[in-house]
Amino acid sequence: METIFYTYQDFYTHTKGVSYLLMIAALIGIALFWNFLTGKDDEKKKKP
Amino acid sequence: MSDKAANDAKTWFTPFNVISGTIIIIGIVITILRFTRGLGAVTNLSDNNPWGIWIGFDLLVGVALAAGGYVTSAAVYIFGMKKYHSAVRPAVLTGFLGYALVVVALNYDVGIPWRLPYPFIYQGTTSFLFEVAACVALYLTVLFLEFMPAPLEWLGLKKVRELAVKLTMVLTVLGVIISTLHQSSLGAIFLIAPSKLHPLWYSPYLPTFFFISSIIAGLSMVIFESTLSHHYFADKMDEVHIKENEGVTLGFGKAASLVLAGYFMIKIIGIAGGNNWNLLGTSYGLWFLVELLGFVALPSFLYAVGVRNKDLTLIKWTAVWTVLGVVINRLNVSLIAFNWQLPSSQRYFPSWMEIAISVFVVTVGIVVFRFIVTRMPVFYEHPDYKDKH
Amino acid sequence: MSISRRKFLGWIGAAGIGSTVGKSALASGNKHFEGYPGSFGVLHDISRCVGCRSCEAACNKVNDLPVPDKAFTDISVLDEKRRTTSKAYTVVNRYDVAGKKEPVFRKNQCNHCLEPACASVCFVRAFKKTPTGAVTYDPNVCVGCRYCMIACPFEIPAYEYNKALEPRVMKCTMCYPRISKGQLPGCVEACPVEALTFGKREDLLMIARERIRKYPDRYINHIYGETEMGGTNWLYISGVAFSDIGMREDLGVTPAPELTSGALAAVPVVAGLWPVLLMGIYAISKRKESISQQEIEDAVRAVSDKADSELAQALAKARKEQEAAVRKEVRKALEEAARSRDKEDI
Amino acid sequence: MNKGKYLLGFVCILAVSIVFIYSTRILGSGQISDVSSRSRSDVIQIDKMTAFGRLEKPPVEFLHNAHTEALAKKKMDCTACHLTDNDRIFLKFKRIKDTDRIEVMNIYHKGCISCHGEMKAAGEKAGPVECDGCHKEKTLYSSSGQPMGFDKSLHFRHSEVQDKKCERCHHEYDEKAKKLFYAKGKEGTCRYCHQTETKDNLISMRLASHIACIDCHRKNLSKKIAAGPVNCLGCHDREAQQKIKKISPVPRMDMKQPDIALLKTAKKGSGVDTMSLNRMNFVPFDHKAHESYNDSCRICHHESLKPCNECHTLAGIKEGKEVNLEKAMHQVNTGRSCQGCHVLKQDDENCAGCHAFMGKTSRTEDELCLQCHMVPVSEKKKLLKPDDEKMLATAKLLSRTPVTGTYNENDIPEKVIIKNLSNKYEAVDFPHRKIINTLVSNIKDNKLAGYFHSQEGTICQGCHHNSPVSKKPPQCGNCHGKAFDEKNPLKPGIMGAYHLQCIGCHKEMDIKKPAGCTDCHKKIKDKM
């Protein structure tokens, strides 16, 4: 992170690289979280 | 050529086989030419016009018209319009084939095809083409998995099929996200060249325009393609499919009409944003108006009429017209309004071989589609899997 | 526990240092990049150029490009306007400007933008802005998508369309190999009238300003490339309007990467929020479904209950009637019996 | 049927929207009107209505001559369109002055359209009668009308025929009496009073000249005596202007002006202290000679005929627009100051070869100042009497030697062999002496040049610049070496220096030969 960027291009390549990684993480994360969120719904259905 | 075609199409001499056979043979010949003599030998591309119809049509139009997949699956699985369920599989299939063919076409256009995976190694993250590449690659997989149940049913692999079906929801959501991104990114590709694209078409809203119009294309394609299927593959369909089809046509027609209206609005806003009113008076302006009024406003209106009067034929013809409109829009942005300042002598017009390859690719698509729908449960529910979704 | 906390604090500290050292790296929001300090460039004084094409010859030689069919001493080539090609990194064009008795000559080649459009759009990072100022190209990673040619506002990159195997994008490299060895770019070295001046960009700007100041009536007061497309390492001064010698003055001062940054910034946001949105819609539609499901069941139940009760009543009634009938029959039978017994007694 | 109705409706909407969009074209900005090649010298933009605020329609492009000719055919003259009042004509169309918006507009519309209509009715070729026939979006003609100058020769011819009755044209304005009167000996050029724009009752130069000239010409014409032109082309057309008779030499205009003046920092007895009277070496000025160089007094006496230092004082005052004496005399990039005018003369083909490279700057070496500032301090300790001044000035002027000097033939190397680039070509035989001789002969008849090149080393400075004058100046290679020296980025390298100097000079002097590399650099023998 300590690198100094002289051109917008370099800086931008760097930040975009990071944000792409974050995007992948976000997509997987949200899926898992959805499962966690709705995990109990089906059980309730089964009970009665 | 035709006798060759005959040899190629060994046993059955149906007109379809003969024609497609001929086209495919020509295609193969040109393919060999392109990969042995280079792009210069088969295309009219130049240093001023580096992109021809293989990008303008095969990539931009191809992707736009393959939008049916995500539109339909979103409608059915996310917006819970179960009554359109029968439309999903054909749409997903066309989507999948569409993207597959786009990738095939790219192999022709790109200088060094075997390096197509390079973007993922040397990530040029600031390029919108990177974004597109990533999405197309990912979406192709998604569509493949989405379509999986059909072949699995065909092959009778129950277990795997169950798994595939479980994934449907996730895949759909993923599919919609990815589509949103790359459909808009295809428009965003041209944001870098404000000095080359005519101001009436260049707009900071380009990505939005492309995304919205892709929805329109998707909806219209589903209608269009279902019309064709009914014409040619009616025997392959179960009564559910046939019964639901009318509903699909009406429903999608209504949706398309609405979206077109919205698209029309933002296009106008686009002109206002660039304060390009005065340009509407020019010859390019006239062409722009043809696109805007003739291929956006008009179909939106015709769809509305069709839906109000339950006039299926009108809707179907409008669908064709709309699809044509999207094609024109993509060609405008990528070829016609691009490099508009160049003297006509330096403008690009495709060579017959470029066109032939595009036709070839489309034909291949149709043939494969035909192969699949005549074998796999696309237009009908597989007996063993009735109401299992 | 305590250890982990110390660790944690350590990270914070590191981050702090990071933020102090990595000025532009971590500074957020309004950012400004000056480009590489002391990067080289070339000042093209168009008013000096005599159109001798020595630069073209030199360029062809040092980059060992294919020999053209018309010799470089052949000035008739200037009769038509040319652009850079895969066989010529630089071309000189002649312009007959209205109100000028002498024709004006202009050399055209890659301007080596401070923020190159080609680099911004290359999805394999084949183009690179080097600290020397030169924008270089790496043919070993190039896929050949030719997006760079679409993006370049100066229409410089050319393509080897007639190569089947590994065709390359061709463009001036500011003689990167030579300048990194401390030599002059080929064209600059060859120019007989010093219409091309090689040096640090900031020096070149100074020289340009000085010339304009000293000869106000020989130059128009504009240094092309100082701000165009965010600035270029190749600079131009001229005695005639740049638009008269085929240089576009409508390119604006926005660096190429900024043209797409806005849209590109939206990408991760979409990826982040779409799932939420879609899942939400999905949940809602699903809920609608289940609710309607529920209602249907209730309705059915209600109906069936009513039906049951009616049935029961009907049955009860029937049973009563039946019993009554039976009793009646029994009594009848008993009376009969009694009556017959009485008859036998008389 | 239902659908049909819908479609019809849609088509209507479509048509309307298209119409709307095309109407935006008028509002739309950036409408590039291609400047037509057709140019006339009688184009008049009728945009008088701007006086009453924004124009509703584009201004009218009026071709005056087309109308005068058309009228002439019908035996009609100016009065057909211009009102007259005791045979004084008014320039405005069918009115004396702009009253109010509606009225003026009606005058135009009635006047133009009615006449056009009548002619149309009579089946003759007539102008338009519909709105955008006159109010056109883009202009069809570019005006080639030249400003008309009343030069010395013309002035002389007029004063001749007017038998020296200056009052016929020259006048002053009496504020109290509110009328014009003639002030003998105070005649100046019209523009001293009549500015480009009309201010209250002081009419613009345009009006003044058209009224005065055309009126007079008309009268003479009507009297059937030789008269100047009355139509646009006569004065404003380039060809016509060439045809105007010139007499030379023009006899000197007599305004009691000096033949030779002594330019001083301040006028004696003008209330300024003696200190500022004695600021600077005085300059003897050949007023008579300069009269002959220029076409009108206004070139130097741009505001009035007063001496320079009355308005341009040492410190500068309001009357002189705060332009102080130094500026007034030395400002470059203007024809008004002494040095400015002299520097402009350097653009002459014979001078530009050397001077183009020196840049236009008022700063020169100190000894050059003394070329003009000749009258040294010692001689103006005492305030001089006018006659003595004149004598002194005359003496100084006569002492000047306006002849270009140079070293004598055999001190000037005949050839210089230039061996740089000998790797590519034969060495260059540079005809050094020939060149100098040409330069000298080019300017030998030029008094100004002669005066400033009288020193023998001066002419050499054209190439041997940035080094002191001497018989043996340093050669090019002594200063110019390797190119792009970071320490001295402004100095060209040796090759650049040679080519820039030679080619540049030849270009400036418009010398066609030698052209191309091999006219100077012979191909190496063995290569041939």
Side-chain angles (χ1 to χ4, degrees):
Chain A
M1 266 306 216
E2 277 86 14
T3 47
I4 298 173
F5 296 101
Y6 288 107
T7 65
Y8 185 56
Q9 177 55 27
D10 291 352
F11 167 74
Y12 198 41
T13 316
H14 173 79
T15 53
K16 280 297 152 232
V18 174
S19 62
Y20 269 108
L21 294 177
L22 290 175
M23 262 159 66
I24 297 161
L27 287 177
I28 298 168
I30 195 75
L32 298 176
F33 184 71
W34 175 255
N35 276 346
F36 171 69
L37 186 66
T38 57
K40 288 253 167 73
D41 300 0
D42 309 341
E43 291 176 18
K44 190 174 93 274
K45 276 220 185 86
K46 288 191 187 91
K47 262 179 206 140
Chain B
M1 212 61 179
S2 57
D3 57 329
K4 264 174 109 190
N7 309 341
D8 170 67
K10 289 174 201 61
T11 49
W12 6 261
F13 283 96
T14 65
F16 175 85
N17 291 346
V18 174
I19 296 166
S20 56
T22 323
I23 294 174
I24 290 176
I25 289 170
I26 297 172
I28 292 167
V29 173
I30 300 174
T31 308
I32 295 165
L33 221 62
R34 182 255 173 273
F35 285 107
T36 51
R37 300 272 197 71
L39 281 164
V42 293
T43 66
N44 280 353
L45 297 175
S46 69
D47 290 334
N48 286 336
N49 306 289
W51 283 357
I53 56 167
W54 289 351
I55 296 292
F57 181 81
D58 296 21
L59 174 61
L60 295 186
V61 175
V63 168
L65 298 192
Y70 85 89
V71 172
T72 321
S73 50
V76 172
Y77 294 125
I78 296 176
F79 294 81
M81 305 177 182
K82 286 279 189 289
K83 58 179 175 168
Y84 302 142
H85 186 272
S86 62
V88 171
R89 274 191 182 177
V92 169
L93 175 57
T94 27
F96 173 62
L97 291 180
Y99 277 85
L101 295 176
V102 164
V103 174
V104 172
L106 278 180
N107 281 286
Y108 282 84
D109 182 76
V110 155
I112 310 172
W114 54 91
R115 287 184 183 170
L116 270 175
Y118 274 24
F120 307 111
I121 309 167
Y122 313 94
Q123 302 99 348
T125 47
T126 55
S127 171
F128 259 108
L129 221 47
F130 175 79
E131 211 282 333
V132 172
C135 284
V136 168
L138 206 50
Y139 190 46
L140 198 56
T141 351
V142 168
L143 278 170
F144 178 70
L145 293 175
E146 266 192 280
F147 182 65
M148 254 309 136
L152 290 172
E153 285 170 13
W154 180 48
L155 301 168
L157 303 167
K158 291 199 167 43
K159 282 266 170 298
V160 197
R161 189 248 181 210
E162 288 309 316
L163 184 78
V165 171
K166 274 205 182 59
L167 281 172
T168 310
M169 183 54 210
V170 184
L171 290 177
T172 313
V173 172
L174 203 56
V176 174
I177 297 162
I178 297 169
S179 301
T180 315
L181 291 180
H182 73 269
Q183 292 287 4
S184 50
S185 297
L186 282 173
I189 279 180
F190 294 93
L191 284 176
I192 196 75
S195 55
K196 294 185 184 177
L197 183 54
H198 189 284
L200 277 171
W201 280 272
Y202 184 91
S203 152
Y205 302 127
L206 258 177
T208 326
F209 292 160
F210 267 56
F211 174 56
I212 302 298
S213 50
S214 82
I215 296 174
I216 295 161
L219 293 166
S220 307
M221 264 317 265
V222 171
I223 299 172
F224 174 55
E225 169 265 334
S226 74
T227 317
L228 290 183
S229 315
H230 275 73
H231 200 284
Y232 296 109
F233 303 116
D235 54 327
K236 302 280 180 307
M237 299 180 177
D238 58 8
E239 72 290 347
V240 183
H241 193 287
I242 296 174
K243 201 165 80 281
E244 283 185 358
N245 176 264
E246 182 167 331
V248 171
T249 310
L250 283 174
F252 277 36
K254 186 180 271 175
S257 172
L258 195 61
V259 181
L260 274 164
Y263 182 59
F264 180 76
M265 291 304 157
I266 56 174
K267 285 289 267 190
I268 298 283
I269 291 168
I271 308 172
N275 191 25
N276 296 325
W277 299 106
N278 57 307
L279 291 177
L280 291 172
T282 64
S283 51
Y284 272 98
L286 188 61
W287 179 232
F288 180 82
L289 289 172
V290 171
E291 185 196 320
L292 184 61
L293 299 174
F295 289 92
V296 178
L298 178 64
S300 167
F301 175 75
L302 292 181
Y303 265 132
V305 175
V307 171
R308 284 166 57 96
N309 307 352
K310 302 269 178 300
D311 181 341
L312 292 180
T313 35
L314 176 59
I315 295 183
K316 284 169 179 170
W317 281 114
T318 313
V320 180
W321 188 249
T322 315
V323 169
L324 193 61
V326 174
V327 174
I328 289 176
N329 168 262
R330 296 303 192 258
L331 294 182
N332 276 341
V333 173
S334 59
L335 299 175
I336 297 165
F338 193 82
N339 273 337
W340 63 289
Q341 279 154 320
L342 286 184
S344 52
S345 59
Q346 296 174 25
R347 294 302 302 276
Y348 161 87
F349 189 82
S351 71
W352 73 268
M353 287 192 272
E354 286 177 88
I355 300 169
I357 287 293
S358 297
V359 176
F360 164 69
V361 169
V362 174
T363 317
V364 171
I366 296 169
V367 171
V368 176
F369 184 83
R370 190 156 172 276
F371 174 87
I372 292 177
V373 295
T374 44
R375 285 163 182 72
M376 301 182 188
V378 175
F379 292 123
Y380 60 92
E381 299 269 338
H382 193 289
D384 317 359
Y385 305 96
K386 284 268 180 231
D387 39 69
K388 271 207 184 157
H389 34 256
Chain C
M1 176 63 225
S2 60
I3 299 157
S4 70
R5 184 204 270 117
R6 201 178 301 137
K7 259 207 192 121
F8 176 70
L9 294 172
W11 293 332
I12 298 284
I17 293 160
S19 54
T20 50
V21 177
K23 279 200 302 307
S24 45
L26 294 175
S28 64
N30 55 342
K31 249 172 250 68
H32 182 62
F33 298 93
E34 294 285 353
Y36 289 101
S39 66
F40 293 112
V42 174
L43 171 65
H44 179 17
D45 187 334
I46 293 164
S47 72
R48 284 184 177 185
C49 182
V50 293
C52 66
R53 298 186 68 211
S54 311
C55 45
E56 288 187 47
C59 178
N60 178 281
K61 189 153 150 298
V62 297
N63 295 298
D64 39 53
L65 297 166
V67 179
D69 30 10
K70 270 190 175 179
F72 286 105
T73 49
D74 181 352
I75 304 300
S76 70
V77 176
L78 295 172
D79 291 345
E80 90 235 29
K81 301 273 171 292
R82 302 170 299 155
R83 64 152 285 160
T84 54
T85 67
S86 57
K87 297 184 174 62
Y89 289 165
T90 183
V91 291
V92 175
N93 279 326
R94 185 185 63 220
Y95 298 88
D96 301 305
V97 180
K100 276 258 175 190
K101 60 182 198 297
E102 296 282 324
V104 180
F105 299 94
R106 186 192 123 227
K107 179 179 181 297
N108 188 22
Q109 74 299 308
C110 174
N111 286 327
H112 299 275
C113 307
L114 293 177
E115 301 286 355
C118 48
S120 153
V121 298
C122 185
F123 65 171
V124 290
R125 296 203 234 166
F127 289 96
K128 193 166 175 304
K129 181 72 177 177
T130 63
T132 59
V135 176
T136 57
Y137 164 77
D138 176 4
N140 299 323
V141 301
C142 177
V143 181
C145 69
R146 308 189 296 285
Y147 192 13
C148 45
M149 298 163 72
I150 291 282
C152 178
F154 304 105
E155 286 174 338
I156 293 305
Y159 198 64
E160 295 182 313
Y161 283 107
N162 294 323
K163 266 175 88 179
L165 292 175
E166 315 224 328
R168 295 165 296 169
V169 171
M170 305 294 271
K171 86 169 194 47
C172 158
T173 63
M174 211 200 254
C175 286
Y176 180 67
R178 287 171 61 88
I179 57 177
S180 34
K181 269 189 273 141
Q183 290 169 292
L184 290 170
C187 51
V188 176
E189 195 174 60
C191 182
V193 290
E194 276 187 33
L196 301 172
T197 308
F198 180 82
K200 292 203 172 64
R201 186 170 185 267
E202 44 267 41
D203 296 349
L204 295 177
L205 282 169
M206 188 270 287
I207 296 171
R209 293 206 188 87
E210 174 60 19
R211 286 190 194 161
I212 293 171
R213 186 196 65 72
K214 192 171 177 198
Y215 305 108
D217 49 356
R218 292 179 79 193
Y219 297 101
I220 58 163
N221 186 10
H222 178 57
I223 304 172
Y224 194 99
E226 186 178 13
T227 57
E228 275 72 10
M229 290 305 289
T232 60
N233 280 60
W234 214 283
L235 303 164
Y236 303 79
I237 51 175
S238 161
V240 298
F242 289 102
S243 50
D244 293 346
I245 49 178
M247 297 172 82
R248 297 189 59 171
E249 296 187 296
D250 60 347
L251 293 176
V253 300
T254 318
E258 280 176 20
L259 288 168
T260 51
S261 57
L264 210 44
V267 168
V269 177
V270 171
L273 288 183
W274 243 222
V276 178
L277 190 72
L278 296 171
M279 296 293 198
I281 296 170
Y282 171 67
I284 292 166
S285 62
K286 202 153 174 231
R287 184 156 173 289
K288 276 223 199 77
E289 230 168 79
S290 57
I291 287 173
S292 53
Q293 196 62 48
Q294 196 62 48
E295 281 167 346
I296 290 165
E297 284 167 9
D298 295 356
V300 170
R301 195 178 297 109
V303 170
S304 58
D305 292 0
K306 192 155 161 284
D308 293 354
S309 60
E310 278 171 354
L311 188 63
Q313 286 168 3
L315 283 172
K317 192 155 163 271
R319 205 177 287 113
K320 269 201 205 85
E321 283 170 351
Q322 207 177 5
E323 284 169 354
V326 168
R327 235 181 269 114
K328 197 157 155 248
E329 283 304 308
V330 170
R331 199 186 300 122
K332 228 177 169 184
L334 289 174
E335 284 171 0
E336 278 294 314
R339 204 177 292 122
S340 64
R341 217 185 296 118
D342 295 350
K343 265 195 189 153
E344 282 169 9
D345 290 352
I346 303 165
Chain D
M1 316 315 97
N2 204 346
K3 200 196 307 165
K5 218 188 296 151
Y6 278 128
L7 279 172
L8 192 67
F10 181 80
V11 170
C12 297
I13 297 166
L14 197 105
V16 170
S17 46
I18 286 178
V19 170
F20 160 73
I21 284 153
Y22 275 86
S23 61
T24 60
R25 185 176 177 178
I26 293 150
L27 305 172
S29 60
Q31 185 73 24
I32 310 118
S33 67
D34 54 341
V35 176
S36 160
S37 56
R38 292 190 291 178
S39 66
R40 296 175 58 118
S41 49
D42 66 331
V43 191
I44 298 175
Q45 286 288 327
I46 302 182
D47 50 7
K48 304 287 171 291
M49 305 302 292
T50 41
F52 308 111
R54 192 176 157 286
L55 293 177
E56 285 172 0
K57 285 194 162 295
V60 174
E61 194 174 44
F62 179 80
L63 305 179
H64 194 280
N65 254 52
H67 290 78
T68 44
E69 278 160 15
L71 289 167
K73 286 207 196 73
K74 298 178 154 318
K75 303 273 171 298
M76 290 161 90
D77 67 346
C78 314
T79 54
C81 300
H82 295 285
L83 304 185
T84 56
D85 161 36
N86 50 46
D87 66 307
R88 155 147 156 50
I89 191 160
F90 292 94
L91 299 183
K92 294 185 186 300
F93 175 71
K94 291 200 166 174
R95 66 191 188 281
I96 292 174
K97 62 163 141 45
D98 298 340
T99 48
D100 71 88
R101 195 162 175 292
I102 302 303
E103 193 173 329
V104 174
M105 188 172 76
N106 291 339
I107 290 171
Y108 274 113
H109 287 164
K110 250 179 85 273
C112 301
I113 297 170
S114 64
C115 183
H116 288 176
E118 287 161 17
M119 289 180 72
K120 266 209 168 49
E124 302 168 71
K125 185 172 164 295
V129 292
E130 72 286 2
C131 300
D132 24 359
C134 297
H135 297 280
K136 288 208 185 66
E137 256 311 313
K138 59 194 202 23
T139 56
L140 291 176
Y141 298 93
S142 63
S143 171
S144 64
Q146 302 298 315
M148 178 57 179
F150 199 68
D151 60 15
K152 283 186 304 186
S153 129
L154 212 49
H155 182 273
F156 178 77
R157 285 174 56 201
H158 279 80
S159 57
E160 279 297 287
V161 290
Q162 305 288 334
D163 39 49
K164 297 226 164 25
K165 288 202 173 49
C166 310
E167 61 272 30
R168 292 247 172 112
C169 302
H170 291 277
H171 54 255
E172 301 279 306
Y173 184 66
D174 184 337
E175 282 300 340
K176 278 177 243 45
K178 294 258 176 293
K179 61 191 231 335
L180 301 173
F181 68 99
Y182 171 62
K184 187 103 192 79
K186 298 190 82 197
E187 301 89 347
T189 75
C190 317
R191 281 187 176 76
Y192 287 162
C193 303
H194 298 287
Q195 305 299 327
T196 47
E197 292 307 320
T198 302
K199 289 191 205 60
D200 38 59
N201 66 349
L202 176 56
I203 57 175
S204 71
M205 182 61 200
R206 186 162 172 280
L207 278 176
S209 53
H210 283 90
I211 291 171
C213 305
I214 295 172
D215 248 7
C216 186
H217 291 175
R218 271 180 64 247
K219 285 177 201 147
N220 292 353
L221 276 179
S222 54
K223 293 196 209 114
K224 302 273 180 296
I225 47 174
V230 290
N231 60 8
C232 308
L233 278 63
C235 291
H236 296 290
D237 187 56
R238 190 178 266 105
E239 288 75 43
Q241 286 183 352
Q242 253 98 60
K243 290 199 190 68
I244 294 171
K245 187 155 133 282
K246 282 230 186 300
I247 49 163
S248 63
V250 186
R252 212 173 156 205
M253 242 181 271
D254 178 25
M255 290 289 293
K256 311 262 177 306
Q257 72 272 39
D259 296 4
I260 288 172
L262 189 64
L263 305 186
K264 300 167 299 176
T265 48
K267 188 148 166 282
K268 185 165 45 171
S270 62
V272 286
D273 56 309
T274 51
M275 283 308 286
S276 48
L277 282 177
N278 299 345
R279 269 299 129 214
M280 181 76 196
N281 279 18
F282 289 170
V283 178
F285 175 66
D286 191 338
H287 195 284
K288 187 175 179 187
H290 282 81
E291 282 171 38
S292 65
Y293 303 150
N294 295 314
D295 226 353
S296 130
C297 311
R298 269 193 310 120
I299 303 288
C300 304
H301 294 280
H302 43 87
E303 291 292 326
S304 77
L305 289 173
K306 294 194 204 121
C308 316
N309 60 10
E310 277 189 34
C311 302
H312 301 297
T313 62
L314 276 179
I317 52 170
K318 212 149 85 276
E319 289 83 333
K321 300 203 172 63
E322 301 300 338
V323 177
N324 59 22
L325 191 58
E326 188 279 325
K327 269 221 194 66
M329 295 301 175
H330 305 101
Q331 184 66 47
V332 289
N333 310 326
T334 169
R336 282 178 175 183
S337 79
C338 306
Q339 202 175 346
C341 189
H342 289 171
V343 167
L344 287 180
K345 295 266 180 289
Q346 293 174 345
D347 295 344
D348 180 288
E349 225 165 60
N350 296 329
C351 315
C354 299
H355 283 282
F357 297 98
M358 300 176 181
K360 295 211 182 327
T361 161
S362 60
R363 184 80 195 89
T364 54
E365 300 76 22
D366 297 355
E367 65 270 18
L368 259 176
C369 302
L370 300 174
Q371 296 274 34
C372 299
H373 292 271
M374 298 174 89
V375 184
V377 179
S378 60
E379 302 187 28
K380 56 184 172 56
K381 273 278 178 294
K382 52 201 178 324
L383 294 176
L384 297 161
K385 282 187 237 50
D387 326 357
D388 311 354
E389 277 186 358
K390 198 156 282 153
M391 269 170 52
L392 179 56
T394 322
K396 285 292 178 189
L397 276 178
L398 292 175
S399 74
R400 289 176 174 175
T401 53
V403 279
T404 310
T406 179
Y407 300 103
N408 50 25
E409 203 76 350
N410 46 22
D411 285 338
I412 306 169
E414 198 214 335
K415 269 194 163 55
V416 173
I417 310 299
I418 304 171
K419 290 206 183 56
N420 317 66
L421 285 184
S422 53
N423 57 339
K424 286 211 194 107
Y425 302 96
E426 293 284 326
V428 178
D429 296 357
F430 179 75
H432 183 268
R433 191 187 289 161
K434 178 166 156 250
I435 286 168
I436 293 171
N437 292 339
T438 321
L439 290 174
V440 172
S441 65
N442 278 351
I443 58 172
K444 68 176 186 301
D445 305 329
N446 183 328
K447 196 173 161 201
L448 178 64
Y451 179 44
F452 282 98
H453 298 76
S454 51
Q455 286 175 11
E456 46 195 5
T458 313
I459 201 82
C460 311
Q461 295 282 298
C463 298
H464 296 276
H465 51 177
N466 305 330
S467 67
V469 182
S470 84
K471 194 180 276 183
K472 288 211 168 300
Q475 293 180 297
C476 309
N478 302 146
C479 303
H480 296 281
K482 182 177 153 298
F484 317 126
D485 172 8
E486 275 195 38
K487 304 279 172 306
N488 190 349
L490 292 175
K491 180 189 280 182
I494 180 67
M495 187 165 70
Y498 273 127
H499 286 112
L500 281 173
Q501 194 70 28
C502 301
I503 298 172
C505 178
H506 281 213
K507 217 193 227 153
E508 296 292 343
M509 296 182 74
D510 200 19
I511 300 168
K512 290 282 165 279
K513 297 283 297 173
C517 308
T518 48
D519 279 9
C520 299
H521 307 270
K522 294 273 160 295
K523 283 221 182 62
I524 292 178
K525 296 280 183 303
D526 57 27
K527 284 219 178 118
M528 298 167 70

